[in-house]
Structure formats: C-alpha cells, structure tokens
Amino acid sequence: MIRISTQQMFSNGISRLQSLNANLQKTEEQISTGKKVNRASDDPVAAARILKLDQEVARIEQYQRNAGLAENRLNQEEGALTGMVDVVQRIRELTVQAGNATLSDKDRDSIASELRQRLDQLGNLANTRDASGEYIFSGFQGDTPAFGKNISGHYVYQGDEGQRFLEIDEGVRLAISDHGKGIFVDIPSAHTTFFAEASATNTSGAQISTGMVLDQEAYDGFVDSLSGDDLIVRFQDDGLGGLNYEVVAKSEPEPKTVLATGPYSSGDSIVFEGIQFEITGAQLGDTFDIKTSGRQSMFTSIEKLIYGLENQPLTPAQATIDGTTGFVPNTGDVMYINGVALGPFTAGDTVADLDAAINANIELKNAGVSSELNGNQLVITGQGQDLRISGADESVTPAVTTWTGDLTVGGGKFEDLSIVGGVGVAAVNVGSGQQAYYDLIADSLINLDNIQDSILLTQTELGGRMNAVETTSDFLEDSSLYSKDIRSQLQDVDYAEAISTLSFQSFVLQAAQQSFAQVSQLSLFDRL
C-alpha cells in the first residue's frame, strides 16, 4: 500500500498544472509569432537548419540588391549611349549637308552653330550621373566629370581607365561601368591627325585652336620622318619687341632642331607640313603640344569639323606662270597638269599657247581645270581639287623628264616649281581650299562612323551584361523562394493545427484545475 501525503498530493497537482500551462503558453506564443521554433530549445535540430537558411536568404537578398543596382547602372549607361547615337546621327546628317558645294558661308556658319550645340549635348550625356551622383563614365573618379574643357575650350577626358565590378552571385562578378576613354577617346581616326593643347605650365592664359590637316600626304610624310614623335611649339624673342614661333620635336634632346619657324602674330594661322592652327595670346616662355595620333576622341573629331566650317575658305587651287620668264619651252617639251599631258610645245611658244592648250583639253575641262591670262601672267585654276604641275611623266617609275627648257610655276604649298634648262624642282603641288575642306568632310564622315561603331560595340557588350543580370536575378529569385519555402516548413506554424491544439490544451488545463480543486479539498478528517 502506497501512502501519499497531503504535501505530495499538492506538489504533484501544482507541477501538473504548471506543465499544462507551459504547453498552453508555448502554443499561444507560436500563434502570436507565427513560428513553431522561437528558441533553440524548442527544436535544436530545426533551429540549426533555420539559422543556416536565414543566412542563405540574407546572402541571396544581398545578391539581389547588387543585381538591382547593376541593372540600374547598366540601364542608365544604355540610355546615355542611346542618346549619343541619336546625336551623332544628327551630326552626321549635318556633315553630309555641309558637303554641299552650293552652300554659302552663312549656311556653313549656321551648320557650325548647330554642331556646337550638339557637341555640348554630347558633353552633357558623357557626364551622366547615377542615382548616387557619381559620373558613370569617369572610371574610378566618380566625383570628377568625365569630360571638361581645357583652357582653349576643347573637351578633354578627366577620369581614369578604371572599370567597376559588382558581385551579383557567388563567383559571378559583372562590370557595371565603362570608362569614357575607351568609348569616346580611343577611336580610330580616318587618317593620322593631331591634338593641339596648351602646356599646363603656361601662365599667360594663351589658347590654341583645334586646327586641321590641310594636306594629308604632306603631314603623313612629315610624321613618318619623325617616327611619329609629338611636336612642341615654343616662342623666341625676335629682338624687335616681338616673338618668333618655333616647331621642334618633343623627344629630341636640346638643342632641338627647329623644324619650322616664323614671326608670331596672335590669332594668325600657323601653317607647316600640311597642318594649320592658331595660337592666341602667347607670351615668351609659353609652349604648346601638338600630339600626333592615329586615334581621335569623339569630341576632337567634331571640334575639327566645326573648325573647318568656320575657318577653311573654299578657294580653288591657283597656280601662276609669269609670261616673260616662266614659260620658255624647247621644241618637244611636254608638261603635265594632274597627270594630263600638254604639248609638245615648240621653241618660241608663249603662255598664250599654254593657255589655249589647257582650255582646249577636254579631260582637264571635265576635271574642273582651266586657265586665264591676267595681263602678262597665266593663272591656272583647279576647282574642288589640288593641282599637280610637273615637267616629268610621273606615270612611270622612275619619272621621265619631259621638259628641257625653262618653267617656273608659283603658288605651291611648300615650294614652287622651278626648272632652268631642264634642271631644278620638276613638280609642284598647288593647294586648294576646296580640296582641304572636302577632305575634311570625307574624313569627318569616316570618323563619325567610327564613333558610332565604338558606341554600338559598347551597347552590344551592355546587352550581354544585362542579359546576365536578368538570368542571375531569375536564378536568385528561384533560390530565394526555395530557401524560404524550406525555412517556412521548419519554422512557420500551422494555424489551424495550433488553434486546435490550443483549444485542447485549454480544455485539459481547465479540467485539471477543476479536478485539482476538488481533490485538494479531500481530507481524512472527513472520514472520522
């Protein structure tokens, strides 16, 4: 027989009520929090798995935020590049229009004015900022505008060559930016060209124009002779209160060889070896860099086009021959104009005979070459092209001399033709402002096509990255849903089951309380 003391009976009853109440409170907590596992002690195994799943979900959400940031940056870059393509296309239309030979100077000035507006529009697009205010084309220099204007008013790149990457999934790093140097600066040029810039050490505030190539063949030969070296324009006192300019090779040690020199007048054109530019406000000690390159920035290409529209006169090529001493042929002498033979002449022929021969030649007429006697001087004009006048047949190699008398032709780009007794400078190139202008238009169209190709190539790369972001985002979304589903199965409460359990536990607790109340009133004294 087991004896149960009153104290033991009360202790067991209270313990049972406390246990039932604890279970009830646990169920109530699950319902209020919506979680089956609120602390590790509830289910140690499930709690460990839930912790790992929480970490996995947090990692996925971080990658999703990164993917969203990457998508926003790439979309913003794509928008800026699309805007640039539209602007460049408009510039190309204006360039084609500028090539119309019937345009007046006022028409060309009007085109140049719109080109300047389009140029600044490109500058604004190149300096696009992201949501945080950083310039998207500046590389790592996000606080610095990608492009700014130097002291001469020309656009220059101010960023670096950094490319930003963002991890959008484990082991997946994606480029979210492209530096402006690669897209807008390192663009192949139609021909070898140059970029003119004032030295950073100048204190005078002097400016140099963007300039242009007048004679590509002459400039190419000059560049080749220097092995592509850059040039420096510097100034020397002329001893008369003025300055002389000097052009020297940049890498040559002192004393440098002077490649070109002349009196300096602020704002006047400096022309040598097939190129032209102007320097304004220079003082003694100032230097300017002429950087030779086969590549040219988008902005420089358009600036040179504007320069040509505003500064290059559409003058025909004109050569002059003095009627007294400039044309003294021997019998059988033949001369050539742009490869077309004239003659043979006979001893005693005059410039009037040459004039007649030129104007009677159908091939020259069709090519826009004509001549006119102006007093005792013969003026030979080439419309829309340079003139090449030679006393030798240059269709064969080596050229065969065909002039044995005297012949002097003025107006040459660099030197005049001068033959005396069949000996001397046997050929001359006479420059045409029209030819230089139309060459600029043709080169500008090629440069604009190269600009569009560079932008479109970047857009293609952007499309690939945006596809990668989209694919990765879809994968992350699936992974997130999967992880959250498993975590839900382990952690989330089944409300129907929990409420049913709560009702049952409440009933049991209530019954136990009533039972304990009655049992606690029992006493042996009731049986005496």
Side-chain angles (χ1 to χ4, degrees):
M1 179 178 179
I2 299 176
R3 290 186 298 176
I4 300 175
S5 65
T6 301
Q7 180 180 1
Q8 185 178 3
M9 180 181 66
F10 272 87
S11 177
N12 290 341
I14 292 172
S15 177
R16 174 59 177 166
L17 289 175
Q18 289 176 336
S19 176
L20 291 173
N21 190 58
N23 289 338
L24 180 66
Q25 289 178 345
K26 180 179 178 181
T27 303
E28 287 177 337
E29 182 183 24
Q30 289 176 343
I31 292 174
S32 64
T33 62
K35 297 179 181 180
K36 290 189 293 186
V37 181
N38 288 287
R39 55 187 61 84
S41 59
D42 292 343
D43 188 337
V45 175
R49 292 190 63 190
I50 290 170
L51 179 61
K52 289 183 178 180
L53 288 169
D54 284 341
Q55 294 172 345
E56 176 67 12
V57 170
R59 183 186 69 84
I60 291 173
E61 288 176 347
Q62 180 60 56
Y63 285 140
Q64 286 178 316
R65 287 192 292 271
N66 290 355
L69 175 61
E71 183 177 15
N72 290 337
R73 283 292 297 259
L74 295 177
N75 281 331
Q76 194 164 24
E77 183 176 343
E78 169 66 18
L81 293 179
T82 298
M84 287 184 178
V85 170
D86 293 339
V87 175
V88 171
Q89 181 57 37
R90 175 55 183 164
I91 291 174
R92 196 181 194 287
E93 293 171 0
L94 291 171
T95 305
V96 172
Q97 183 181 343
N100 189 331
T102 63
L103 293 180
S104 65
D105 290 343
K106 186 176 181 180
D107 293 332
R108 283 186 285 275
D109 287 342
S110 177
I111 292 174
S113 178
E114 182 175 348
L115 285 174
R116 287 195 180 279
Q117 295 177 8
R118 299 296 181 178
L119 181 67
D120 290 338
Q121 190 176 355
L122 287 175
N124 290 333
L125 288 169
N127 287 330
T128 297
R129 300 190 191 198
D130 63 13
S132 62
E134 292 193 335
Y135 295 93
I136 65 175
F137 294 115
S138 291
F140 294 142
Q141 307 298 319
D143 294 332
T144 303
F147 288 89
K149 291 185 178 181
N150 61 18
I151 192 170
S152 299
H154 307 150
Y155 279 97
V156 292
Y157 184 59
Q158 301 177 143
D160 57 28
E161 298 183 41
Q163 188 175 37
R164 301 189 181 199
F165 287 83
L166 195 63
E167 190 171 17
I168 60 173
D169 196 5
E170 187 172 355
V172 180
R173 294 179 71 247
L174 187 79
I176 61 169
S177 71
D178 295 281
H179 58 80
K181 186 175 186 298
I183 307 174
F184 312 122
V185 177
D186 293 335
I187 301 174
S189 177
H191 298 286
T192 302
T193 185
F194 67 94
F195 177 73
E197 187 175 30
S199 172
T201 60
N202 293 354
T203 58
S204 65
Q207 299 178 342
I208 185 169
S209 67
T210 187
M212 65 178 285
V213 176
L214 298 176
D215 188 320
Q216 192 66 53
E217 184 178 358
Y219 183 56
D220 287 345
F222 176 66
V223 170
D224 289 342
S225 70
L226 296 177
S227 300
D229 195 6
D230 292 339
L231 303 173
I232 294 176
V233 181
R234 61 189 186 185
F235 297 88
Q236 302 292 342
D237 192 333
D238 65 0
L240 301 173
L243 297 174
N244 288 331
Y245 71 83
E246 291 182 348
V247 181
V248 296
K250 184 174 185 178
S251 62
E252 183 183 9
E254 296 287 356
K256 296 178 181 290
T257 302
V258 177
L259 303 172
T261 186
Y264 168 70
S265 179
S266 179
D268 284 357
S269 294
I270 296 175
V271 181
F272 71 96
E273 298 296 348
I275 65 174
Q276 170 182 297
F277 53 85
E278 294 77 30
I279 296 176
T280 304
Q283 296 180 3
L284 189 65
D286 285 347
T287 60
F288 297 84
D289 295 323
I290 308 296
K291 300 177 181 178
T292 301
S293 177
R295 295 179 176 272
Q296 186 167 256
S297 82
M298 170 178 68
F299 297 97
T300 302
S301 293
I302 300 169
E303 287 167 348
K304 287 190 179 297
L305 174 59
I306 295 171
Y307 174 90
L309 285 168
E310 295 178 337
N311 295 278
Q312 181 57 42
L314 270 68
T315 54
Q318 288 191 329
T320 58
I321 300 178
D322 182 77
T324 302
T325 60
F327 184 78
V328 185
N330 290 329
T331 298
D333 280 355
V334 176
M335 67 180 293
Y336 291 83
I337 298 180
N338 289 0
V340 177
L342 295 172
F345 297 96
T346 60
D349 283 347
T350 67
V351 288
D353 297 304
L354 176 58
D355 178 49
I358 292 173
N359 290 319
N361 190 287
I362 301 300
E363 190 174 353
L364 288 178
K365 182 178 181 180
N366 292 337
V369 178
S370 61
S371 63
E372 181 182 11
L373 281 170
N374 184 7
N376 195 38
Q377 191 176 65
L378 180 67
V379 179
I380 305 172
T381 302
Q383 293 289 345
Q385 60 184 314
D386 290 351
L387 288 176
R388 173 76 174 179
I389 302 176
S390 174
D393 182 2
E394 297 176 319
S395 64
V396 294
T397 304
V400 177
T401 300
T402 59
W403 194 271
T404 62
D406 297 345
L407 181 63
T408 302
V409 181
K413 292 181 179 179
F414 310 111
E415 59 181 346
D416 293 337
L417 184 152
S418 179
I419 302 175
V420 178
V423 179
V425 178
V428 62
N429 287 319
V430 181
S432 161
Q434 295 168 332
Q435 183 68 49
Y437 177 81
Y438 292 127
D439 284 347
L440 173 65
I441 295 297
D443 288 349
S444 295
L445 289 173
I446 295 173
N447 291 336
L448 290 169
D449 288 342
N450 291 341
I451 290 168
Q452 285 184 319
D453 288 344
S454 178
I455 296 175
L456 291 173
L457 177 61
T458 305
Q459 285 182 307
T460 301
E461 294 174 353
L462 280 177
R465 293 182 217 160
M466 292 170 73
N467 287 338
V469 171
E470 183 179 359
T471 301
T472 303
S473 296
D474 290 343
F475 172 75
L476 290 172
E477 182 64 25
D478 292 341
S479 298
S480 178
L481 290 174
Y482 177 73
S483 297
K484 289 178 179 178
D485 182 60
I486 296 176
R487 184 180 64 178
S488 176
Q489 294 177 27
L490 293 171
Q491 179 175 262
D492 294 347
V493 70
D494 183 338
Y495 281 100
E497 180 182 356
I499 292 173
S500 176
T501 301
L502 179 65
S503 298
F504 176 74
Q505 289 175 334
S506 297
F507 172 76
V508 171
L509 177 61
Q510 185 178 9
Q513 288 173 337
Q514 292 175 353
S515 174
F516 178 73
Q518 292 187 8
V519 170
S520 62
Q521 295 176 4
L522 296 177
S523 173
L524 291 176
F525 293 102
D526 294 335
R527 299 291 183 257
L528 295 179

